[in-house]
Amino acid sequence: MAERQGKNVATGSAKSSKFLTFQLGDEIYGLDILKVKEIIGIMDITPVPQSPGYVKGVLNLRGKIIPVVDLRLKFGFDEREYTERTCIIVVELEMAEGKMLVGIIVDAVSEVTNISETDIEPTPEFGASFSTDYIRGMAKIKGKVVILLDISLVLSGGGLGQFAG
Amino acid sequence: MTSAQDNPGQAGGADKTPAEVQFDRISVAVLTASRDDMRKLGEILSAFEQIGKIAATEGRTDVPDAVTAGDAVGTALMFDDTARKHWDQAMDIFGRLASCCQEVFRGGKMNRPVLSRIFSDIREQLEIEIEGGEAEEAAAAASGGADKSMALDQDKELYTDFITESMEHLDSIEIKMVDLEAAPDDSETLNAIFRAFHTIKGVSGFLNLRDVNELAHRTETLLDMARRNELPVTGSVIDVIFEAIDGMKGMIRDVSEKVSAGATAREFIGTDRIIARITAVQEGRDDSPPPRQATPPRLGDVLVEQGKITQAEINETLSDQPESGERETLGMLLIEDKKVSPKDVAQALRIQKNAANAIETQDIRVNIHKLDGLVDMVGELVIAQSLVCNDPDVMSIDSQRFYRNLSQLGRITSELQKISMSLRMVPIKNTFQKMSRMVRDLAKKSGKEVTMLMEGEDTEVDRNMIEEIHDPLVHMIRNSVDHGVEKPDIRLAANKSALGTVTLRAFHHGGNVVIAVEDDGRGLDPVKILAKGQERGVVAAGASLSESEIFALLFEPGFSTAEKITDISGRGVGLDVVKRNVEKLRGTIETRSTLGQGSTFQMKFPLTLAIIDGIVVRVGEQRYIMPTNSIVEALRPPREDYLTVEQRAEMIRVREELLPLVRLHRLFSIHNGIQNPWEGLVVVIESEGQKRAVLIDELLGKQEVVIKTLGGGMSNVRGISGGAIMGDGRVGLILDVSGIFEITGRQASFN
């Protein structure tokens, strides 16, 4: 398990991991399939007051209340109407207080794909104004670039901790 | 068949120790004895006797038990034909007993597990009862008939079971001790305590926890003396038993630590001091005060007090009574003499037994996670049921039979929910009784005389709640004993009895449980508190506050009335912590006090943390749940009752009160809420004696909801205390009333 968490990007071993890829605007992102609990269609979300804009609110996942983050808004994209293709990916995060489930809204889920560690390239430097801490690397699949996210860092780095904003 | 022959190094003949010679005698006899060979049996008996003597001279205290057993078995075989039927088994047991003893003489320890196994075999196979075998039996029984060869040191589970069980026993003993102190000659209580110690003794012996075993044994002996009326149950007896309980708890915790660390539990803190005290008490060398009067009043006294009979009549009846009369027989005699009616006696007996009514019900132990899971699932079931019932497709079904069945389903689910909630309800009695122990200790430490009274200890509260209540309650009681009740001399000077009283009271009030801590101590001085509050900067100088507002200052951070820091309370942890804890539980604290006469701190908690009784309100398109217990009323104010100050601060006049207006739509950034109060509704909410008028669009209904957290990171949203799954499967947010007060500023209302 531990070695599949992608810590060995630089070691060049030929191991491969499964990633779930999804679309956000014109960009393709991928996240470690082991973090994904399930994928659901868009459903009723109850807004929670006084929380940051990208936190759309909470929803009822079979009796459990989980927070939902709109990844478009989190990444500063324009807000877009939810469509038939809009999905909520439920991911499980390891936080200091224990495991928690968070739903992330994406434009569309594409596929589950095997990406070999050797195909992952380090993230280029974009300068000080653009932090790439939460990007594990870039992978090229069938001529397209997939941005691999460390979803825990996306949601915790200036994210979940400030839900209550 | 182990014996000296197993030890070739010592089989040399002349250089044998006297004990070894005897062991040889036994093993030879056991091996060669044919059935009913009385001469060989005599040989064995005398060898055991010799071993006993040698052990006594060598000071081996471990041996006598085994020797007694051997002796008893031999005697039984000698004189009892039925016992002789089991001749072969008996011979086997002789051999085993001998090797146990031999082990000791070779410098080892008595192998208690093996010995207890032998004891139980003696009982089961030979049907012989041995004095003192009972304890060993208990040990053997506790092992669940475990194989004697089992590697005990590795058997973590046995230790873990022992730890939980004996901790429970000790807790129950503690509670019963309080009863015992109230009624020193209640043999029922005494027996119960005795039995509990006895069990601990047995099991600890089995597990080779010698210090625990020793202490339990000593305490048991002490209790046994009390049981046989050889020793009066004085305050010092009770003290020393409490000490033993504490000692044993410490040791058991030690065991627990060692077990979880994976080590075997053998070494303990010294028990010498406690044992020395027990011995002292046993010998009557303790100079504590004489036994107190039994607190449950005598039947006669009760009857006299009720005016059913005079003391003279009772004396007359009593003089006719035969010598060895028990308490109840007085009632019988009085009825026979037609002095009182059976009904009066029954009533009096009930009063008398009120304190000690331990109704034994059958319980089973259930893992708390399973229970919580059940309660959760039932909650889900209720929601699913209402989802089905309110489904438009279902509503369109036109069938009487279907609706009858549907409503039957509804009844069953709600009954199920009620039962599942009650599963977690436990009487607050245990908590209260623990407090009574604490009051006792605290009073002793601070040199005060304090008695604790309990009222409504049968009040039931959610188990999870009880745990949460515990800490604030401890703090309040400490506060009362330490700062409330005065020292005896001061009390006497103030014309009060030297004995202070702290009363713990619990009762249900609406959907809440109220727990009050009341003392008859010095009371609170509003003037002093206000001055102190101003000095500490908690209140602005020159502010005029009502009495209840002044008392509320006590619960502000950085405020302590204690003039000195004591061991008991005032360690920098103030009442503000209590307040915070209580509020976390959606509770409130109210303080009442009369200077010089005492104070009452009343804590009000919801019955359960899991469910909230709420009113569902709509603001724009959003629904929120307001806790019913903080709602005073809801009304649509006429336009002229809407007032502003400097066109900014808004108020609603409700009768003669002016209440600040809270616009929920503004607070929660909801765009399409009703703007004008006279078009919507205002809900008057109250917290800590202050009120606000909250503007909403409409009331949707009343609903009990299961409270859920909003999930990580979202649990600290101000103004929202949690979420709940609503009837339509969506999430509704529960308003946090005190949070709303905080957001909107806690300024005094305008009345």
Side-chain angles (χ1 to χ4, degrees), chain A residues 66 141 147:
Chain A
I66 65 165
I141 307 166
I147 306 153

Side-chain angles (χ1 to χ4, degrees), chain B residues 177 180-181 184 232-243 277 281 286-292 440 444:
Chain B
M177 285 303 293
L180 185 69
E181 193 172 25
V233 181
T234 57
S236 47
V237 170
I238 291 190
D239 279 347
V240 82
I241 295 174
F242 268 133
E243 246 177 81
R277 275 213 58 189
V281 170
D286 210 281
D287 46 66
S288 286
R292 276 201 260 134
R440 189 178 183 277
K444 211 156 225 184

Side-chain angles (χ1 to χ4, degrees), chain A residues 44-51 55 57-67 97 100 160-164, chain B residues 380 622-624 667-668 708-714 716-720 723-725 729-733 743:
Chain A
D44 277 331
I45 295 170
T46 303
V48 176
Q50 300 176 350
S51 48
V55 177
V58 288
L59 62 76
N60 168 18
L61 184 73
R62 289 187 306 279
K64 232 179 137 99
I65 297 178
I66 65 165
E97 323 85 66
M100 63 179 255
L160 280 181
Q162 294 175 4
F163 262 19
Chain B
E380 295 308 321
Q622 298 304 321
R623 285 171 308 176
Y624 296 98
L667 199 61
F668 289 167
K708 311 213 164 183
T709 64
L710 290 189
M714 313 263 298
N716 291 323
V717 179
R718 292 217 298 172
I720 300 290
I725 314 288
R730 291 182 51 173
V731 179
L733 299 178
I743 301 170

Side-chain angles (χ1 to χ4, degrees), chain B residues 101-117:
Chain B
C101 298
Q102 205 169 10
E103 202 59 44
V104 180
F105 278 97
R106 284 181 190 159
K109 277 181 189 163
M110 176 55 80
N111 193 336
R112 288 281 154 189
V114 171
L115 190 62
S116 9
R117 185 70 193 179

